[in-house]
Amino acid sequence: MEVFAVPDIPEIEPGDDLAALIDERVDLREGDVLTVASTVVSKAEGRGADLSDFDPGARAHDIAERIGEIAGERKDPRFAQAVLEESEELVMAAPFILAVTHFGHITVNAGIDRSNVPGADLLLLPEDPSASAQRLSDALGVPVVVTDTSGRPFRQGQRGVALGWAGISAMRDWRGEHDREGRELTATVEAVVDELAAATNLVTGEGDDGRPVAVVRDWDFGDHDSHDDLFRDRDGDLVRQALDDFEYDPD
Amino acid sequence: MEVFAVPDIPEIEPGDDLAALIDERVDLREGDVLTVASTVVSKAEGRGADLSDFDPGARAHDIAERIGEIAGERKDPRFAQAVLEESEELVMAAPFILAVTHFGHITVNAGIDRSNVPGADLLLLPEDPSASAQRLSDALGVPVVVTDTSGRPFRQGQRGVALGWAGISAMRDWRGEHDREGRELTATVEAVVDELAAATNLVTGEGDDGRPVAVVRDWDFGDHDSHDDLFRDRDGDLVRQALDDFEYDPD
């Protein structure tokens, strides 16, 4: 398969027709999968926001105070309020906020970006990344994965992950198939949308040559079972249950 | 960049010269990165084992009993003993064993494979995957990443991950660089070896056409800071701390 970034995507403004901007810059073919960074989706969808848009309630004040005490510097309760409004629930409130977004993704600060937003304090994640992917897929005629980069337990650093997808299933399910010695595969469900996000993150980069859109060409999902349950719910996630019980102690 | 599987790798036997078998099947070029599934590295290194090789101690009996009670079926304490011997410590013992391998990777059952081993009950992970990668890299003249597939908290399914690497840094560090609006990037350290493992897992597949070796061609690490700290230690991992305190309650 081939993986390449779409060149010369301009800085995206609210209301921009992202599909048209992509379509002008790449000849998509049948079989291509397009990955689009959530930052440009959010910008096109007008998801920039200012801290002054958020009126912190008691819980936001508590959280900001607690994180601030641990960090030894004042934290803005308006930011905590923004995270609360973007979250279905919190997995952890301190020493940082680990939140479940309304669409099920678990990430620090509900994925709110404070570094990459011309003319706004904050950039919120797309409200429904799979709906965003569907609109782009309908316009462009290929499967689309809306991506972000995210840290993870156990391993340092960040890697590309899928937030939403359309025209492709999230998971390739090998269970019930057989290895080449004839033994049945028992526990292999492959999160292909995350792997596609990771693959394209290798070529899209960060920083001053950021290229937020990429194409995976000549990759074949193959003839396998599939499903779309990418995000674990609480019942199926012992780590989440353990974090619910966890009290952070800085000493 | 291009990503492709090396064709026709045969079933690997203990003592096989894996580098020679790869070299016969692909013309590697400068700039290529080779990924090699830990299963074939383990097979070549004679890491197959039988349950009868393991003499379960009291702790292995306890763990097997506890997991067996939860699962409602007897569990073999020899397998628990194998996991203990392959582990530096356990993060969780039930309802499944989540272990830290001697080289720092956190995974279920210390990565011991029970499904993919002709002529043996078990296949252990390579003892030191980065040393294995170094030997292959020295023989083949390109960077090598030894890979596995692994589940993860918060998200369903498995994806490719790096266990060891040589000739390449694990992490691409963008901190201190700037985005295209001139703002400094603050928190971006990219786990490129995991992304390379994920990218190649899309083409290597599982099952009866398993292709354990793949090439990433024309990918550029670029001029960035780098480091090799892929595996979090306990102090830097709140999830691991939370799991230490966690008592699984099946009711």
Side-chain angles (χ1 to χ4, degrees):
Chain A
M1 74 183 192
E2 200 188 343
V3 182
F4 59 93
V6 174
D8 303 322
I9 300 286
E11 184 68 42
I12 302 297
E13 309 278 346
D16 277 351
D17 185 344
L18 188 54
L21 290 167
I22 294 168
D23 194 40
E24 288 162 12
R25 284 164 178 81
V26 61
D27 285 320
L28 293 167
R29 297 187 199 156
E30 197 180 322
D32 287 352
V33 178
L34 192 75
T35 68
V36 184
S38 59
T39 45
V40 295
V41 174
S42 288
K43 286 174 183 174
E45 294 179 354
R47 297 279 286 162
D50 287 315
L51 284 166
S52 59
D53 299 339
F54 297 95
D55 182 20
R59 191 169 176 213
H61 278 288
D62 284 350
I63 290 169
E65 198 165 316
R66 187 146 167 244
I67 298 175
E69 269 169 27
I70 295 166
E73 59 177 33
R74 197 183 161 277
K75 294 289 179 184
D76 194 326
R78 298 173 302 175
F79 182 74
Q81 183 65 32
V83 174
L84 286 170
E85 293 184 18
E86 288 298 304
S87 302
E88 198 66 24
E89 59 178 296
L90 303 191
V91 176
M92 190 161 66
F96 53 83
I97 311 178
L98 189 64
V100 188
T101 67
H102 296 299
F103 57 91
H105 173 52
I106 296 182
T107 193
V108 173
N109 292 337
I112 298 176
D113 186 350
R114 283 181 283 191
S115 76
N116 195 18
V117 210
D121 299 330
L122 309 174
L123 188 64
L124 314 179
L125 289 181
E127 237 177 301
D128 181 347
S130 284
S132 305
Q134 187 68 59
R135 286 190 291 272
L136 290 167
S137 178
D138 289 345
L140 292 163
V142 297
V144 172
V145 180
V146 172
T147 67
D148 198 2
T149 56
S150 170
R152 62 268 170 89
F154 308 148
R155 303 171 85 80
Q156 304 273 10
Q158 303 188 295
R159 83 301 191 206
V161 294
L163 302 186
W165 54 94
I168 182 175
S169 292
M171 316 292 269
R172 180 157 69 172
D173 191 341
W174 303 79
R175 287 174 299 182
E177 301 185 34
H178 294 79
D179 70 16
R180 57 183 173 184
E181 301 294 302
R183 284 175 298 260
E184 186 169 330
L185 299 172
T186 51
T188 306
V189 180
E190 182 187 1
V192 290
V193 288
D194 280 338
E195 293 185 329
L196 291 163
T200 55
N201 200 46
L202 286 164
V203 303
T204 53
E206 308 271 345
D208 58 8
D209 60 347
R211 284 158 296 186
V213 180
V215 176
V216 178
R217 177 158 290 171
D218 296 327
W219 172 67
D220 184 18
F221 189 95
D223 182 21
H224 303 282
D225 284 342
S226 63
H227 66 78
D228 280 323
D229 300 328
L230 181 62
F231 305 118
R232 289 184 192 265
D233 59 19
R234 192 183 177 286
D235 285 348
D237 193 342
L238 293 179
V239 168
R240 193 160 153 190
Q241 294 169 35
L243 287 169
D244 279 349
D245 297 344
F246 181 61
E247 272 296 313
Y248 175 71
D249 178 1
D251 310 313
Chain B
M1 73 184 194
E2 201 189 341
V3 182
F4 60 94
V6 174
D8 303 323
I9 300 286
E11 185 70 42
I12 302 297
E13 309 279 346
D16 278 352
D17 184 344
L18 188 55
L21 290 167
I22 294 168
D23 194 41
E24 288 162 11
R25 285 165 177 80
V26 62
D27 285 320
L28 292 168
R29 296 186 202 159
E30 196 181 323
D32 287 352
V33 179
L34 191 76
T35 68
V36 184
S38 59
T39 45
V40 294
V41 174
S42 288
K43 286 174 184 174
E45 294 179 354
R47 297 279 286 161
D50 287 316
L51 284 166
S52 59
D53 300 338
F54 297 94
D55 181 20
R59 191 168 178 216
H61 278 288
D62 283 351
I63 290 170
E65 198 165 315
R66 187 146 168 245
I67 298 175
E69 268 170 27
I70 294 167
E73 59 179 31
R74 196 183 161 277
K75 294 289 178 184
D76 192 328
R78 298 173 300 173
F79 183 74
Q81 182 65 33
V83 174
L84 286 170
E85 293 185 18
E86 288 298 304
S87 302
E88 198 66 25
E89 59 178 296
L90 303 191
V91 177
M92 190 162 66
F96 53 83
I97 310 179
L98 188 64
V100 187
T101 67
H102 297 298
F103 58 92
H105 173 52
I106 296 182
T107 192
V108 173
N109 293 336
I112 298 175
D113 187 349
R114 282 182 284 192
S115 75
N116 195 18
V117 208
D121 298 331
L122 310 175
L123 187 64
L124 315 180
L125 289 182
E127 235 176 304
D128 181 348
S130 284
S132 306
Q134 188 67 59
R135 287 190 289 272
L136 290 167
S137 179
D138 289 345
L140 292 164
V142 298
V144 172
V145 180
V146 172
T147 67
D148 198 4
T149 58
S150 169
R152 61 266 168 92
F154 306 149
R155 304 171 84 82
Q156 305 272 11
Q158 302 186 296
R159 84 300 191 207
V161 293
L163 302 187
W165 54 95
I168 182 175
S169 293
M171 316 292 269
R172 181 157 67 173
D173 191 341
W174 302 79
R175 288 174 299 183
E177 300 185 35
H178 294 80
D179 70 15
R180 58 182 173 185
E181 301 293 302
R183 284 173 299 258
E184 186 169 330
L185 299 171
T186 51
T188 307
V189 180
E190 182 187 0
V192 290
V193 288
D194 280 339
E195 293 185 329
L196 290 162
T200 55
N201 199 44
L202 287 164
V203 303
T204 53
E206 308 271 347
D208 58 8
D209 59 349
R211 283 158 298 187
V213 181
V215 175
V216 177
R217 177 158 290 170
D218 295 328
W219 172 67
D220 184 18
F221 189 96
D223 182 21
H224 303 282
D225 285 341
S226 63
H227 66 77
D228 279 324
D229 300 328
L230 181 62
F231 303 119
R232 288 184 193 265
D233 59 18
R234 191 183 179 285
D235 285 348
D237 194 341
L238 294 178
V239 168
R240 193 160 153 192
Q241 294 169 35
L243 287 168
D244 279 348
D245 299 343
F246 182 60
E247 273 295 312
Y248 176 72
D249 177 3
D251 309 313

